Amino acid sequence: MAYGATGQPQPSHEDLPESVFKKSYNFPPFFSPQPTSLTRQAQLKKWSEFIQRYCRHYRLFQLSIIDTLQSPLFYNARLKKGLSLKDAKAVIEYMASKDGDERAEWRGPEKAVAWIWWRKPEEWATLIVNWVEETGQKGTVLTLYELVQGETTEKQEFYGLDTEVLQKSLNTLVKKGKAQVFGTEDQQGVKFF
Amino acid sequence: MFLKKPDLTAGSRPTLSPDEVLLFVQDGVGLYEGKYKIKSCQKGHAYLTSHRACYVDDADPRANSWAVDLKDVEKHESQAGFLKSSPKVTLFPKPPKRRFGTIGKAGSSQSPSFQRVASSSTPSTRASSPFRPSAISSTPTPLVIGTWVCPICSFSNPVPSNFDPTIATESFPIPPCLACGIKPPFPLVLKAAVTANAKRLPAPRPESINLTPDSHTQSYGDEVSSENITCPRCTFHNHPWMRICELCSAPLPVPDSIQRKALEDSVSRSESPGPEISGLSLEEEHDTPSVKFSFRNGGDRVFYERLKNAMIQRKWLLQDAPPLPRPDLDRSPTPLGNPALVPSSESRAVAVGIAGLEQRGLQTRKINEAVLGNAFEDLEALMASAKDVVALAERFAVESGSQTGVPGVSSDPLVSQSAAALGMLATRDMIGDNSSALYISELARNLAEYATDDQRGILRRQGGTMSLVDLWATFNRSQNGVELVSPSDFHKAAEAWEKLGLPIKLRRFKSGLLVVQQRNASDEKTVGQIKGWLTSLKIPTAATSEAWDRSAYGVGVTAQQAAVQFGWSLGVAAEELEMAEERGALCREEGVEGLKFWLNYLIEDD
């Protein structure tokens, strides 16, 4: 549960891994909106990929725009340049649209916090189903805690998955008729068919 | 009516009306009405004022003074003196027919003066004619009979007994010659009668007259020979009454005595008061006589000059505008009275001065109002004329528009009509390409030559691209203030460069900026130049170390740096950089340092 809290620790501006922060991160025009449509599309695409790499690296499932403005994601301490609030929202808006492959989703109408789908719920569901089949646990009842916090799933990617994200992914399985969720709010179980 | 009675002052001078001014005074003046002297007005003073010409008699000023209003004068003449005649100034009255209501008054008023003229002129004429008494004395004895000689048959005929030489005219019935029946001319009979009357005075002459026709031998006597007329051709001694020689029929010279008598006769007839009186009575009904001033002591020229000036100025017309002269008369006595009454009245004098200043300001304001009113009236008239010109030009445009069906035809009348419609942009576009205004096309060529002149190098120094406003300023500055070009004409000429195939062209940027370029300039070339420049900036300098990878990205440049690099103006540089950005060659960085342009690595993969 420590990882699911909203008060996520922000990474420091030191020791930024190059696999995440690529060359464009040190290109000053990267932080200014471009008026030319062709260049603008290229710029937004790079920002989308960059944000997904960043959240995957730090296992962030949602972003608060205001809290993240000073993080290395939107502010380059070396160049002393960063995106403004308006520009950052524009980038997330792009990610939430079909043009951006719907890699983001606003959590409320005020558009302050957004899910970052560096892996979509359907994709998470696929991972879980594959694991259940590999371990031969079809037909048995598993608790949600066991799935994301249990010892058996410690080496899996969905270990530490956000609870809400887990529920979203299981709901996709329920719609397909491949799983069933039991129990009350506190104690929930799932059985895979 | 023409002569009026003036009011005299205590000093026997004409009383002047409020706005009347005395111009000239002359003594030794006599007054005439028409051709006759006014006896009681022959010695006095003549006063010329701005309104009247007055005669004031010296002997009896109250009774014999007269004035003529200058407004009633039709014209005036000046006659120089001759022998005993003094110089005169004549005033002719205006015809009274123009005022029908005053004809009766004029007639009635003229009769007393006419009587005076008649009574005054008769004694003077009697005194001046010594022949008058003999004429009067001869009237009671009309029984004298003379004879006249027929010029055809030389027969001596008697003069009719009822023939009176003082009264008879050509209409008098004269009987024909008793011998040949030819009617004689009137002057011949008249001369015969006059001669008979003249010869009655000496007693011995009638006897010699009776003897002469009877015998020629007695005519050679001493007494008779002195009166005979010698023929200049055949030297025959003819009778003094003969006009043609009896022998050779040559015309005989007239003796001096007869000539002198004839002159006296004509003089006495002209001075006779009888017929003139009746003539004047006839003239009275038609027109009033003129008035003459006779200047016996000189001064006629000065009088006449000032009379002409008064007639030109016509100051009596000011009587119709009473407000103007009244304030002057009211103000003029005030300062004269103040110092006499109170010697130390400086405060009142200052008040008068301020009032004068206010009056002067008021007059200045009125003058300004008049000037402005005239200016606005002229402006409205000019606008009305301009409307007519515009309507005419529109009609030309409509008529020339019908000829657009003929492509490629550019006739002279069409061009001239287009020139007349210069400035009407919407209508001129309808005419077509072939009907460009001559002025605009010539201006376009002139501008192209000016911009591409190698000696000046105007376009070259601007990096090959120059804003239209800059070229307009440079061109007008080179004209030294003569024949400047208006912005609209300059714009039209620039638009015509493409049509005329000139070596420069007009181009419009996205922001609306108009620039002048060489014909062969293109965006690709400009983008290539910019990219080459930015690529050259990738080489790092030891002086500075950037936070980014300079060897990979180079540096960002501002419009000012680009202007310095390529020689453009700042506006052109900004437009060119934005054009390159629009084409995807550059991208921008906005920050506190300003707007910078970089090579576009955003479109490349990381």
Side-chain angles (χ1 to χ4, degrees), chain B residues 179-253:
Chain B
C180 62
I182 303 298
K183 190 173 181 180
F186 173 76
L188 182 62
V189 179
L190 184 62
K191 290 178 181 178
V194 171
T195 306
N197 290 331
K199 288 188 178 296
R200 280 185 63 260
L201 295 179
R205 291 204 175 177
E207 297 177 358
S208 64
I209 293 172
N210 293 330
L211 292 173
T212 305
D214 295 340
S215 66
H216 293 279
T217 58
Q218 295 182 3
S219 66
Y220 292 100
D222 293 339
E223 296 180 356
V224 178
S225 65
S226 66
E227 299 176 353
N228 290 337
I229 301 173
T230 304
C231 180
R233 186 181 298 177
C234 65
T235 68
F236 179 74
H237 292 277
N238 293 281
H239 189 268
W241 288 0
M242 300 299 291
R243 293 292 173 268
I244 301 175
C245 183
E246 293 186 26
L247 293 182
C248 62
S249 301
L252 297 177

Side-chain angles (χ1 to χ4, degrees), chain A residues 22-36 38-39 42-43 45-46 49 53 78-79 81, chain B residues 546-549 552-553 581-584 586-591 598-606:
Chain A
K22 297 197 173 182
K23 291 200 306 179
S24 295
Y25 186 70
N26 291 315
F27 188 42
F30 186 64
F31 294 91
S32 297
Q34 300 296 314
T36 308
L38 183 64
T39 308
Q43 183 188 34
K45 186 169 183 295
K46 288 192 174 187
E49 296 169 353
R53 291 198 303 269
R78 186 179 173 190
L79 295 182
K81 292 186 73 65
Chain B
E546 290 80 12
W548 60 88
D549 188 1
Y553 297 137
E581 181 187 30
E582 185 73 20
R583 287 172 168 265
L586 303 181
C587 57
R588 64 171 56 191
E589 172 203 353
E590 298 177 7
W598 298 68
L599 287 169
N600 193 0
Y601 291 104
L602 292 178
I603 58 178
E604 298 179 3
D605 295 332
D606 288 329

Side-chain angles (χ1 to χ4, degrees), chain B residues 148-445:
Chain B
W148 58 276
V149 178
C150 180
I152 304 300
C153 63
S154 303
F155 182 76
S156 298
N157 295 278
V159 175
S161 61
N162 59 352
F163 185 84
D164 189 354
T166 59
I167 302 174
T169 59
E170 292 186 355
S171 63
F172 187 85
I174 301 175
C177 179
L178 298 177
C180 62
I182 303 298
K183 190 173 181 180
F186 173 76
L188 182 62
V189 179
L190 184 62
K191 290 178 181 178
V194 171
T195 306
N197 290 331
K199 288 188 178 296
R200 280 185 63 260
L201 295 179
R205 291 204 175 177
E207 297 177 358
S208 64
I209 293 172
N210 293 330
L211 292 173
T212 305
D214 295 340
S215 66
H216 293 279
T217 58
Q218 295 182 3
S219 66
Y220 292 100
D222 293 339
E223 296 180 356
V224 178
S225 65
S226 66
E227 299 176 353
N228 290 337
I229 301 173
T230 304
C231 180
R233 186 181 298 177
C234 65
T235 68
F236 179 74
H237 292 277
N238 293 281
H239 189 268
W241 288 0
M242 300 299 291
R243 293 292 173 268
I244 301 175
C245 183
E246 293 186 26
L247 293 182
C248 62
S249 301
L252 297 177
V254 179
D256 294 339
S257 61
I258 296 175
Q259 281 185 349
R260 196 174 304 104
K261 291 176 183 178
L263 288 176
E264 290 177 1
D265 191 4
S266 64
V267 168
S268 62
R269 188 187 312 111
S270 65
E271 292 183 357
S272 173
E276 278 86 357
I277 292 175
S278 62
L280 284 178
S281 64
L282 293 176
E283 289 178 0
E284 178 185 1
E285 298 175 0
H286 295 286
D287 196 358
T288 54
S290 60
V291 172
K292 295 183 183 179
F293 286 80
S294 178
F295 292 86
R296 301 198 177 94
N297 291 355
D300 56 306
R301 288 180 183 164
V302 181
F303 184 92
Y304 188 64
E305 285 294 326
R306 299 189 182 184
L307 176 66
K308 287 198 294 185
N309 289 335
M311 294 299 292
I312 290 170
Q313 293 181 9
R314 300 187 184 180
K315 288 192 173 179
W316 57 87
L317 295 178
L318 293 178
Q319 293 176 355
D320 298 333
L324 284 181
R326 296 299 178 184
D328 296 334
L329 294 177
D330 293 338
R331 183 174 292 104
S332 58
T334 305
L336 295 177
N338 282 336
L341 296 176
V342 182
S344 63
S345 62
E346 296 178 358
S347 61
R348 295 182 182 178
V350 172
V352 172
I354 292 173
L357 290 176
E358 289 180 357
Q359 185 70 19
R360 193 179 305 169
L362 185 63
Q363 290 178 359
T364 304
R365 198 174 307 117
K366 288 182 178 178
I367 293 172
N368 291 340
E369 286 179 7
V371 172
L372 289 176
N374 289 333
F376 281 118
E377 288 176 1
D378 295 338
L379 185 62
E380 289 178 359
L382 188 62
M383 289 168 65
S385 301
K387 287 182 180 178
D388 294 339
V389 173
V390 170
L392 197 63
E394 287 179 354
R395 193 178 309 140
F396 286 160
V398 171
E399 291 176 359
S400 63
S402 61
Q403 302 182 19
T404 54
V406 184
V409 175
S410 175
S411 60
D412 289 339
L414 200 59
V415 172
S416 64
Q417 289 168 2
S418 302
L422 183 66
M424 302 174 63
L425 188 60
T427 306
R428 195 165 58 85
D429 290 341
M430 296 165 58
I431 296 173
D433 295 344
N434 296 319
S435 304
S436 297
L438 291 176
Y439 171 68
I440 297 297
S441 62
E442 291 301 318
L443 180 62
R445 298 173 196 277

Side-chain angles (χ1 to χ4, degrees), chain B residues 439-458:
Chain B
Y439 171 68
I440 297 297
S441 62
E442 291 301 318
L443 180 62
R445 298 173 196 277
N446 191 17
L447 292 176
E449 295 166 2
Y450 175 78
T452 57
D453 189 8
D454 290 335
Q455 291 184 354
R456 286 189 249 242
I458 290 172

